[in-house]
């Protein structure tokens, strides 16, 4: 497959854009930069390994598999087995993880996503693989069993690289979209050989045969998201332009009980062609509609809805204006363009503003792109722009990153970080502060199917401002987090929260205190769990 990469590098277009120069900040304007301390004694030992079939992927699934409210992890292994890790960290202390033989140690895993498929309160896993995808039913205590046959889940035999899940209106079982990459059997000429993505819709207490989402253009990230706040999530797909012919980024209508169909230019969807690798969504400007950050090679995008409330998917790119282009390394002596993979918004300094982490790493020694490519940690400023702080925060690793996750691993109210590197050791950092203020974490739950309230909106109101989080399964690159929604409070000592449930019913605003972790069950008062 070396000839594939030789051709790929010849076809890659050198990009000559100059880096965005951030305006110097005064002490009052500059965000607080937390220090991320490498958790050298955590016990976590893992690598995502492999040659060309594992040039993409390398995701991590973060979720609580043993019911102790500490996030555990499953890391994709590529040619090595996937590894499952139980979180043994003490509250507020050093990060500690122990390996678990829980029935998830499959090889050829490119990514994994957690969700409670069968609604039994035990989180399940969908393993994306080069080969058959595998549904794992959670049995509790970090134990899993294969469920493909019991659930009618057809894992196929593709090269799966993306996933998104939702519950369609009236359904007792989830709908799962799987994104697939090139036909790996086309060694000599893979361009134009993108294989069909699959839509697994429910059929009884299981899945119907998968429906092809055609046309498909080598997806590397997918996300069911209520982009227009209509209550009807659509499927957003980010595609790798290296391999398709005539394709673009995609947004699919998903009317329940009907065939999916693409949004068209007549509806406002503009053609966009990038090396699409990851998606992160967040309402950054407080208008109630999510912005989307799309990772790529050099040409990252931050899209904002041009006319909120009109129901037309017309987006403006504001990456340059907001300072999140992140198109070149910001430290070291590299001048070649960056390659971005996993992206995730979280408030790492608890100032009440979203920050953005981006995992970076060359595809496979492509000479037109940076070989030493540090991860980004972009801190949100009060004016809506971002300040690069990856090197100052201690997360500017030069290893070849792919998947990642931000989560509070030791329940101290500060978001920590794990990164999966290709053909290198996974890295784990504890957020040691300082931070700007307090926090609240909220875990929405509802009875019956869709227990984790996927595609609900959690809102927090404090100091006259509302922060919003859409509960999603998907996005990122090859992995994601299923767990509490973390909100930084800045200097506020208290807040109010509510949930707009997936069926559109909104709970009442209810008071919560700073420093609290709350379960918000439908129809009940917030239950403080810490």
């Amino acid at each position: 497959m070396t000839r594939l990469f030789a051709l790929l590098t010849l076809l890659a277009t050198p990009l000559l854009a100059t880096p965005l120069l951030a305006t110097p900040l005064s002490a009052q304007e500059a965000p607080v930069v937390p220090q991320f301390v490498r958790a050298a004694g955590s016990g976590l030992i893992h690598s995502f390994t492999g040659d060309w079939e594992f040039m993409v992927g390398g995701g991590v699934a973060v979720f609580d598999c043993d019911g102790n409210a500490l996030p555990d992890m499953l890391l994709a292994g590529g040619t090595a087995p996937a590894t499952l890790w139980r979180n043994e960290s003490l509250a507020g202390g050093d990060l500690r993880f122990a390996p678990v033989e829980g029935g998830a140690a499959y090889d050829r895993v490119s990514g994994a996503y957690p969700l409670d498929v069968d609604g039994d309160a035990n989180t399940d896993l969908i393993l994306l693989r080069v080969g058959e995808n595998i549904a794992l039913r959670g049995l509790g205590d970090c134990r899993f069993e294969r469920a493909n046959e019991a659930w009618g889940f057809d894992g196929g035999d593709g090269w799966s690289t993306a996933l998104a899940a939702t519950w369609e209106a009236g359904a007792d079982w989830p709908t799962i979209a799987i994104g697939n990459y090139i036909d790996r059997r086309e060694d000599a000429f893979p361009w134009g050989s993108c294989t069909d993505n699959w839509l697994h819709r429910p059929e009884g207490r299981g899945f119907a045969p998968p429906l092809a989402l055609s046309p498909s253009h080598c997806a590397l990230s997918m996300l069911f998201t209520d982009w227009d706040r209509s209550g009807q999530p659509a499927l957003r797909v980010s595609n790798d332009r290296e391999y398709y012919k005539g394709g673009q980024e995609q947004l699919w209508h998903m009317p329940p009980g009907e065939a999916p169909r693409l949004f068209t230019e007549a509806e406002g969807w503009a053609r966009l062609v990038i090396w699409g690798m990851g998606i992160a969504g967040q309402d950054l400007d407080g208008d109630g509609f999510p912005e989307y950050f799309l990772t790529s090679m050099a040409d990252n995008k931050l899209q904002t809805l041009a006319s909120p409330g009109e129901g037309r998917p017309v987006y403006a790119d504001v990456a340059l204006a907001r300072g999140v282009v992140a198109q070149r390394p910001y430290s070291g002596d590299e001048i070649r363009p960056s390659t971005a993979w996993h992206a995730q918004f979280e408030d790492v300094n608890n100032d009440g503003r979203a920050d953005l982490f981006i995992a970076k790493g060359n595809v496979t020694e492509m000479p037109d792109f940076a070989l030493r490519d540090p991860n980004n940690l972009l801190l949100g400023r009060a004016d809506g722009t971002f300040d690069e702080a990856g090197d100052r925060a201690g997360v500017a690793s030069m290893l070849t990153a792919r998947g990642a996750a931000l989560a509070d691993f030791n329940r101290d109210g500060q978001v920590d970080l794990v990164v999966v590197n290709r053909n290198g050791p996974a890295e784990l950092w504890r957020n040691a502060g300082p931070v700007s203020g307090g926090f609240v974490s909220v875990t929405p739950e509802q009875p019956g199917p869709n227990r984790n309230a996927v595609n609900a909106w959690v809102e927090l109101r404090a100091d006259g401002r509302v922060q919003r989080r859409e509960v999603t399964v998907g996005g990122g690159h090859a992995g994601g987090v299923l767990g509490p929604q973390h909100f930084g409070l800045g200097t506020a000592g208290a807040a109010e929260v509510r949930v707009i449930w997936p069926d559109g019913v909104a709970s009442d605003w209810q008071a919560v205190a700073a420093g609290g972790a709350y379960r918000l069950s439908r129809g009940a008062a917030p239950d403080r769990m810490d």
Side-chain angles (χ1 to χ4, degrees):
M1 203 61 184
T2 55
R3 56 184 178 234
L4 164 61
F5 294 121
L7 285 170
L8 186 151
T9 54
L10 286 174
L11 291 178
T13 303
L15 299 173
L16 302 176
T18 57
L20 178 69
L21 298 177
T23 302
L25 300 176
S26 71
Q28 290 182 331
E29 294 172 325
V32 170
V33 180
Q35 300 304 299
F36 283 79
V37 178
R38 195 180 300 274
S42 68
L44 180 66
I45 301 173
H46 177 88
S47 290
F48 176 72
T49 60
D51 194 5
W52 68 275
E53 288 180 309
F54 299 98
M55 62 185 177
V56 300
V60 51
V62 173
F63 61 105
D64 179 9
C65 64
D66 56 9
N68 67 353
L70 286 172
D72 309 297
M73 296 189 291
L74 181 131
L75 284 71
T79 55
T83 58
L84 181 64
W85 297 86
R86 189 192 304 272
N87 190 342
E88 298 184 345
S89 307
L90 295 178
D94 291 338
L95 305 186
R96 296 282 187 269
F97 285 85
V100 181
E101 295 295 334
Y106 288 85
D107 67 355
R108 302 184 71 78
V109 174
S110 61
Y113 286 84
L115 71 160
D116 187 355
V117 173
D118 55 5
D120 67 353
N122 292 316
T123 300
D124 311 304
L125 290 167
I126 305 296
L127 303 184
L128 305 177
R129 299 177 71 238
V130 181
E132 182 192 30
N133 298 326
I134 296 175
L136 292 178
R137 178 173 177 259
L139 303 174
D141 196 29
C142 296
R143 296 175 297 114
F144 296 88
E145 66 179 9
R146 177 185 167 99
N148 286 38
E149 290 74 22
W151 290 348
F153 180 75
D154 182 353
D157 184 24
W159 181 350
S160 295
T161 48
L163 179 145
T166 190
W167 269 255
E168 297 186 69
D172 292 335
W173 206 255
T175 291
I176 297 175
I178 301 285
N180 293 314
Y181 208 46
I182 61 173
D183 184 344
R184 64 189 191 276
R185 299 168 184 83
E186 293 285 345
D187 188 351
F189 191 78
W191 290 275
S193 69
C194 293
T195 52
D196 281 336
N197 300 328
W198 302 321
L199 189 69
H200 298 262
R201 274 179 154 162
E203 185 174 76
R205 294 285 294 173
F207 294 100
L211 171 71
L213 284 171
S214 184
S216 296
H217 304 308
C218 286
L220 287 178
S221 191
M222 312 177 96
L223 185 65
F224 281 110
T225 177
D226 189 3
W227 64 274
D228 61 350
R229 301 303 301 271
S230 66
Q232 176 58 61
L235 178 63
R236 176 141 198 172
V237 185
S238 200
N239 298 305
D240 183 358
R241 73 180 183 189
E242 195 64 49
Y243 293 105
Y244 59 70
K245 296 179 179 179
Q248 58 174 301
E249 301 293 284
Q250 294 172 308
L251 186 68
W252 291 84
H253 289 279
M254 290 291 301
E258 299 179 25
R261 62 179 179 85
L262 283 168
F263 277 83
T264 65
E265 291 186 11
E267 294 173 289
W269 182 251
R271 180 177 175 82
L272 175 63
V273 178
I274 59 173
W275 285 288
M277 295 174 174
I279 305 172
Q282 184 83 1
D283 178 13
L284 298 176
D285 55 15
D287 67 354
F289 297 87
E291 278 69 45
Y292 298 99
F293 185 75
L294 311 175
T295 59
S296 181
M297 291 196 289
D299 193 17
N300 303 294
K301 304 291 185 183
L302 179 62
Q303 294 189 326
T304 188
L305 200 57
S307 299
E310 292 187 0
R312 288 173 56 80
V314 180
Y315 284 90
D317 180 20
V318 295
L320 183 63
R322 298 287 187 91
V324 294
V325 179
Q327 81 276 40
R328 291 184 187 276
Y330 55 90
S331 65
D333 57 1
E334 282 275 17
I335 61 172
R336 291 171 290 184
S338 285
T339 305
W341 299 89
H342 184 87
Q344 186 176 339
F345 288 105
E346 287 290 348
D347 186 354
V348 300
N349 56 10
N350 286 351
D351 62 1
R353 296 188 292 269
D355 309 306
L356 175 62
F357 176 80
I358 310 170
K360 293 284 189 68
N362 195 291
V363 175
T364 177
E365 297 186 1
M366 292 178 65
D368 288 329
F369 292 86
L371 297 178
R372 291 177 56 78
D373 202 356
N375 303 322
N376 297 93
L377 182 62
L378 293 143
L379 302 180
R381 302 172 183 152
D383 65 357
T385 63
F386 288 79
D387 178 27
E388 177 60 67
D391 49 354
R392 290 174 286 152
V395 299
S397 171
M398 295 294 184
L399 296 181
T400 307
R402 288 294 188 266
L406 292 157
D408 183 359
F409 287 116
N410 61 356
R411 295 187 64 186
D412 64 353
Q414 297 171 188
V415 177
D416 309 301
L417 172 65
V418 63
V419 175
V420 178
N421 296 302
R422 181 170 182 252
N423 294 322
E427 295 172 290
L428 180 66
W429 288 272
R430 177 174 63 87
N431 183 345
V435 294
S436 295
F439 76 99
V440 168
S441 74
V442 180
T443 302
E445 291 184 357
Q446 62 180 4
N450 194 7
R451 288 182 55 89
N452 298 117
V454 175
N455 289 120
W457 287 83
V458 182
E459 299 186 333
L460 179 139
R461 185 166 64 188
D463 281 346
R465 192 166 65 91
V466 177
Q467 300 180 55
R468 298 174 178 86
R469 305 280 189 276
E470 185 180 15
V471 181
T472 58
V473 173
H477 180 69
V481 178
L482 184 65
Q485 302 296 314
H486 177 93
F487 295 89
L489 292 181
T491 58
E496 295 176 297
V497 298
R498 72 169 182 172
V499 177
I500 302 174
W501 300 98
D503 61 5
V505 176
S507 68
D508 295 331
W509 288 102
Q510 302 186 73
V512 291
Y518 293 88
R519 177 185 296 108
L520 194 54
S521 299
R522 188 161 184 167
D527 175 22
R528 185 156 180 165
M529 299 185 293
D530 53 332

